[in-house]
Amino acid sequence: MKVSEVREKGSDELRGELLELYREQFKMRMQKGTGQSPRPDRFGKIRKDIARIKTVLNQRSMAGE
């Protein structure tokens, strides 16, 4: 997900997407703990997407939206 895509979305939509990413991250951690092999490249992508969304939400809150 690119930053430009994130900025186009509304704050409520971003919060929903953030929740979904947290759930996916949790599921992947549980799969790893039980010995299943989730795709290792997804861990970094999910973590970076979470950071992008949180950054945009924080910028919006500082701007007063």
Side-chain angles (χ1 to χ4, degrees):
M1 178 182 317
K2 295 183 178 182
V3 177
S4 59
E5 294 173 0
V6 173
R7 290 198 170 132
E8 290 174 357
K9 296 182 180 182
S11 295
D12 292 334
E13 190 177 353
L14 287 176
R15 286 186 191 98
E17 196 163 330
L18 185 63
L19 185 61
E20 288 299 317
L21 287 171
Y22 278 138
R23 286 182 183 154
E24 188 175 351
Q25 188 181 41
F26 176 76
K27 287 178 187 177
M28 289 182 73
R29 278 199 316 259
M30 291 298 112
Q31 285 178 349
K32 186 177 179 183
T34 60
Q36 296 177 1
S37 58
R39 292 178 36 202
D41 63 320
R42 282 294 291 157
F43 282 110
K45 289 178 183 177
I46 290 173
R47 189 174 61 242
K48 288 178 182 179
D49 285 345
I50 289 171
R52 284 185 188 107
I53 291 173
K54 288 177 76 174
T55 299
V56 170
L57 287 173
N58 189 30
Q59 287 173 347
R60 288 181 182 177
S61 69
M62 296 297 278
E65 282 189 22

